Amino acid sequence: MAGRVPLQQLSRASTAAAFPSSFFSQRLPASVVAARSLATAPPPAQSPLGGAEGGKGTAIVLLNMGGPSAVPEVHDFLSRLFADGDLIPLGPLQKYIGPLIARRRAPKIEAQYSIIGGGSPIRRWSELQASETCKLLNKLHPSTAPHKPYVAFRYAAPLTEDTFLQMKADGVRRAVAFTQYPQYSCSTTGSSLNELWRLSKKLDAEGQIEWSVIDRWPTHKGFVEAVARHIEEGLKTYAEEDRGKVVLLFSAHSLPMSVVNRGDPYPAEVAATVYAVMQRLNFKNPYRLVWQSQVGPSPWLGAQTSNTVEEYVKKGQTNLLLIPIAFTSDHIETLHELDLEIIAESKQPGIKRTESLNGDPLFIEALVDIAKTHLESQGRTSIQMALRCPMCKSEKCAEQRKFFTGGK
C-alpha cells in the first residue's frame, strides 16, 4: 500500500503554490476557505509521460474531457466542445451553431478561468494520477510492465489525436483506455471512445495497437472509500451537535433529457455511486443527488444544484455539504461553479464542499486496483459495454462498440 500523506498537509502545499490565500478570502466565506484542500494544481509529475521500451509493456491511457491550461486556450476548447454532438447534441446544424456558441461564450468563460488562477488544473492532476498509477502497477502487476502513462483529453491538450500519434511513435503495442469518468455516459466516455475508434481507423489501420477498455467503475470499493473519507473530513468542519443534520448534496454533471430518454446509463450509475457511498457512511446523514452545469434552453436532467441550494436555504436548511460525485479532479465546475457561483454567492457559512479526489493516495490506490483487476481479467471491456442504449440509432456507436468489444 502506498504511504498516505495527510489531506490537510497536501492542502497547504498545493494551495499555497497556485492560489494565494487572498484569492479565496476575497471570494469565499472563512468556513469555506478552511474546509478546502486539494482544490488546486499539484506539483508537476516527477516522471515524464509516455516513452517507449521497444513496444514492450502496456500503455495506460487516462481519458477525460480536459480543460484549458491557460486562458488563451479557452476559445479552442469551447469550439471543440460545442462541435461534439455526443456531448452537446445541437442537431443537423451543429457545425454552424457550435462555433457561434463558442465565440459568444468565450469572454465569460475566459474571465472564469482567470479568476480560478488562469487555467484548469485538470491536466496536471491527470498527469500526476497517470504517473503514480503506473509506478504502483509496475510493482503490483509486473507481468504487464512496464506500464507507460499517457493522458488523452477530448477537448484540450493533450488532445486524443496527439496522444495517439505519440503512442505510435513510442512503438506502443498494448494499451488500456482508462476512462476517468467513473460512471459511463455516451456523452463522455462514449465520446472519447468514438474518437479513439476514429483515430484507430485513420492512424492505425494496420492494428499496431491492441486496445482494451476500462469503461466504468461507479461502485469500486476504493473509489467509494475515498469519497466517503472526504465526506467525513468535510463533516468534521461542522459543530459536533450539527453534523448529523448536515444535508449531503451529491452533485454530478447533468445530461440533456434527449440523451437520458435514449436510455443512457449515466443517471443510474451515478445513483449507484451515491448509494454505495451512503451505505459506507451508514446513512448517517440526509442526502440528495443533484445535477449541475446545464447549457442552453433545452430540458436537462434535474434538480439543478444551484436551485436546490437556493430552495433549501429558503426552507432554513443552511448546513449543506456539496460532494462532486462524477468529477474526480478539480476543474472549472468545482473551482468556479460550485465554489464561487453557488457556495460563495450563498453567503452561508454552513454551505461547503468536500475536497475533490485529485492526488489523494487512497484514490491513486483505487485507480491501480481498477487497472490491475482489468489486466488480470484479460477481458477487452465490461459486459455492459456491448449493450447499446435502447433508443440509439448511431451507426458510429455501433461500429465503435464492435471495435472495442471484438465484435460481441
Side-chain angles (χ1 to χ4, degrees):
M1 301 288 280
R4 296 196 178 99
V5 179
L7 295 179
Q8 296 306 321
Q9 182 177 331
L10 283 170
S11 163
R12 288 192 294 272
S14 58
T15 302
F19 296 90
S21 59
S22 59
F23 168 78
F24 292 115
S25 62
Q26 291 168 6
R27 294 168 174 81
L28 299 175
S31 60
V32 176
V33 178
R36 294 182 54 121
S37 62
L38 288 178
T40 63
Q46 294 300 307
S47 60
L49 298 191
E53 296 189 27
K56 297 178 181 178
T58 309
I60 304 296
V61 187
L62 301 196
L63 306 178
N64 211 327
M65 175 184 295
S69 297
V71 171
E73 299 175 16
V74 168
H75 180 265
D76 287 347
F77 169 75
L78 293 176
S79 296
R80 297 183 190 104
L81 188 147
F82 285 106
D84 184 7
D86 293 326
L87 180 69
I88 302 176
L90 298 174
L93 298 178
Q94 181 136 12
K95 68 179 181 179
Y96 304 107
I97 297 173
L100 293 175
I101 297 175
R103 189 159 56 247
R104 188 181 68 210
R105 288 179 61 87
K108 176 182 177 181
I109 305 302
E110 287 172 350
Q112 292 178 355
Y113 276 106
S114 295
I115 288 172
I116 66 167
S120 172
I122 193 169
R123 175 174 183 170
R124 298 180 72 193
W125 280 127
S126 299
E127 289 178 347
L128 179 74
Q129 291 158 358
S131 178
E132 294 304 308
T133 295
C134 286
K135 286 178 186 177
L136 272 177
L137 270 179
N138 287 340
K139 297 176 182 178
L140 298 176
H141 202 261
S143 64
T144 51
H147 300 92
K148 300 182 285 288
Y150 295 87
V151 172
F153 285 159
R154 189 66 180 86
Y155 312 113
L159 290 168
T160 306
E161 182 162 356
D162 295 334
T163 297
F164 201 110
L165 289 169
Q166 184 62 57
M167 292 169 63
K168 286 275 289 182
D170 289 345
V172 170
R173 295 282 186 267
R174 170 81 173 89
V176 177
F178 190 172
T179 183
Q180 293 304 291
Y181 306 102
Q183 306 90 5
Y184 184 93
S185 173
C186 298
S187 299
T188 53
T189 298
S191 176
S192 286
L193 293 179
N194 283 342
E195 181 72 354
L196 270 183
W197 165 70
R198 183 186 71 81
L199 292 170
S200 293
K201 292 197 303 176
K202 174 185 174 183
L203 303 175
D204 190 28
E206 72 279 13
Q208 170 186 311
I209 302 175
E210 178 189 353
W211 288 94
S212 66
V213 181
I214 300 173
D215 49 82
R216 69 200 76 204
W217 33 281
T219 58
H220 181 269
K221 186 176 180 180
F223 168 51
V224 168
E225 180 65 24
V227 174
R229 296 265 190 101
H230 284 227
I231 293 171
E232 290 171 336
E233 289 293 318
L235 288 172
K236 288 178 183 177
T237 67
Y238 294 88
E240 189 171 357
E241 62 271 19
D242 295 331
R243 288 174 194 166
K245 301 173 186 177
V246 175
V247 174
L248 306 181
L249 292 181
F250 293 88
S251 188
H253 201 296
S254 187
L255 278 182
M257 287 307 297
S258 60
V259 177
V260 175
N261 291 335
R262 193 172 62 211
D264 195 281
Y266 175 75
E269 293 193 7
V270 175
T273 302
V274 171
Y275 191 87
V277 171
M278 289 307 304
Q279 195 169 41
R280 157 62 178 77
L281 295 171
N282 296 318
F283 297 96
K284 290 181 180 178
N285 289 76
Y287 70 98
R288 285 292 185 273
L289 170 56
V290 291
W291 308 89
Q292 66 178 88
S293 309
Q294 294 88 331
V295 178
S298 62
W300 284 61
L301 184 63
Q304 291 187 33
T305 305
S306 56
N307 292 346
T308 300
V309 170
E310 290 174 7
E311 292 304 315
Y312 273 137
V313 169
K314 290 178 184 177
K315 291 176 171 62
Q317 176 56 261
T318 56
N319 283 340
L320 306 170
L321 184 60
L322 276 63
I323 302 110
I325 198 61
F327 306 122
T328 59
S329 298
D330 273 316
H331 56 315
I332 194 77
E333 280 87 354
T334 57
L335 297 174
H336 196 281
E337 185 176 358
L338 292 182
D339 286 351
L340 299 180
E341 296 176 37
I342 295 177
I343 294 175
E345 290 185 14
S346 75
K347 296 181 171 61
Q348 297 290 334
I351 299 179
K352 309 178 185 183
R353 172 171 76 84
T354 61
E355 303 165 348
S356 296
L357 299 179
N358 291 329
D360 183 349
L362 187 62
F363 176 54
I364 301 297
E365 290 174 8
L367 294 180
V368 171
D369 186 65
I370 293 165
K372 179 173 176 286
T373 301
H374 173 78
L375 291 167
E376 288 174 343
S377 75
Q378 298 183 353
R380 295 175 66 110
T381 68
S382 73
I383 293 175
Q384 279 289 84
M385 184 65 190
L387 183 65
R388 296 174 65 191
C389 297
M391 308 304 172
C392 178
K393 308 296 183 185
S394 170
E395 288 303 316
K396 175 175 62 176
C397 175
E399 289 302 314
Q400 173 256 108
R401 287 172 185 264
K402 188 181 297 184
F403 173 80
F404 285 113
T405 61
K408 289 188 286 184

